[in-house]
Amino acid sequence: MRLLLVEDEKDLAQAICITLRNRNYIVDWAEDGKIAWDYLETINNYVVAIIDWMLPNLSGLELCKIMRQHNYHLPVIILTARSSIADRVIGLDAGADDYLNKPFGMEELLARVRALQRRSPVFQSTNLQVGSLLLNYDKFTMQNINELNKNSIVLTAKEFQLLEYFMQHPGQILSQDQIRLRLWDLSDDCVSNVVAAQVRLLRRKLVECNYPDAIQTIRGLGYRLNI
Ligand code: CA
């Protein structure tokens, strides 16, 4: 799942990024509201945005207001040192869904992200199913429900994200660029064969589930899930 973090304090932003990435989130970090807006117009699968109130150029509240005016419905957590009730009201009126006072514990931030991601328009329920292939969001596993033993195969974060992307677009060709944009942070300096390598790893797991040809290579175009 992909998150947008908008925070101008570098140390705090890095600490948040590390925490979230350790929990298998993809995180795009924007240092100010303007960069964040560019990201929002480029990436369409954020599940939650974590936005600092005090930012250079465009404040967190202004960003939040603009998002709502443009019908971006993704849930927003506002980070701030301002804790008065009046400030909270201003934040919620701007369209924020939650409010976290600095300093905060990372476990609390994670809990609030989890609570909000369930409300996100792009969040899937516990399972995603295409044909007999079942992807479980709680356990990070996949399963072939036609197999007698129905063994669940545990996936790594990237394998999971890749399979999820394919399963959200069954039968559709996904290009290497689309996959790279979807699976890796915008700051990641990916080597050119990273997508092909990840597809290879996922194919191996799919073979274990008795799907030997589930991901087809479409020469010059990309890959397609064929279950
Ligand atoms: Ca700030």
Side-chain angles (χ1 to χ4, degrees):
M1 274 171 285
R2 192 178 201 116
L3 306 177
L4 175 63
L5 171 65
V6 196
E7 169 61 74
D8 59 321
E9 280 175 55
K10 282 204 173 69
D11 291 348
L12 177 59
Q14 272 162 11
I16 294 174
C17 283
I18 289 168
T19 302
L20 292 169
R21 286 172 184 151
N22 281 340
R23 303 296 175 100
N24 293 330
Y25 290 102
I26 300 170
V27 189
D28 291 325
W29 169 40
E31 283 184 74
D32 67 41
K34 253 187 117 285
I35 297 171
W37 182 247
D38 289 344
Y39 285 2
L40 283 164
E41 292 195 303
T42 313
I43 306 285
N44 61 8
N45 64 324
Y46 291 122
V47 290
V48 173
I50 303 164
I51 303 176
D52 185 32
W53 183 322
M54 302 297 281
L55 294 167
N57 300 328
L58 191 65
S59 82
L61 283 202
E62 285 164 339
L63 175 62
C64 201
K65 273 187 204 161
I66 293 171
M67 283 168 62
R68 297 319 186 207
Q69 281 162 5
H70 285 78
N71 290 319
Y72 285 90
H73 298 297
L74 84 148
V76 169
I77 302 174
I78 290 282
L79 304 180
T80 178
R82 308 162 73 138
S83 60
S84 76
I85 289 174
D87 285 332
R88 274 172 190 269
V89 171
I90 293 169
L92 295 171
D93 278 349
D97 299 271
D98 200 358
Y99 201 90
L100 193 54
N101 284 329
K102 292 179 178 177
F104 52 83
M106 289 297 169
E107 286 304 320
E108 182 172 10
L109 176 65
L110 286 165
R112 289 180 187 237
V113 167
R114 280 196 300 274
L116 282 188
Q117 74 192 24
R118 292 183 207 112
R119 280 156 53 180
S120 181
V122 294
F123 181 68
Q124 304 288 328
S125 61
T126 321
N127 292 318
L128 182 60
Q129 187 173 354
V130 173
S132 56
L133 177 61
L134 199 69
L135 186 68
N136 185 302
Y137 280 84
D138 291 334
K139 298 177 186 156
F140 266 79
T141 58
M142 68 171 166
Q143 192 181 29
N144 182 345
I145 56 173
N146 281 350
E147 287 285 281
L148 280 179
N149 56 19
K150 292 188 174 65
N151 275 345
S152 291
I153 307 284
V154 178
L155 301 169
T156 66
K158 280 285 175 274
E159 289 164 354
F160 183 90
Q161 289 158 4
L162 180 58
L163 185 58
E164 178 195 36
Y165 191 28
F166 277 123
M167 290 176 76
Q168 287 169 340
H169 303 87
Q172 196 179 317
I173 298 171
L174 302 176
S175 72
Q176 296 228 358
D177 281 347
Q178 284 175 310
I179 294 170
R180 194 176 304 125
L181 193 62
R182 164 81 178 228
L183 260 69
W184 280 272
D185 305 335
L186 294 172
S187 61
D188 275 344
D189 206 6
C190 294
V191 287
S192 62
N193 62 353
V194 67
V195 172
Q198 200 59 59
V199 167
R200 252 195 319 276
L201 291 171
L202 179 58
R203 274 181 175 146
R204 254 182 243 162
K205 295 256 172 108
L206 283 161
V207 168
E208 291 178 49
C209 269
N210 204 15
Y211 294 111
D213 305 310
I215 300 176
Q216 303 171 320
T217 302
I218 313 295
R219 194 176 285 272
L221 294 177
Y223 302 97
R224 180 168 60 195
L225 181 70
N226 186 27
I227 296 286

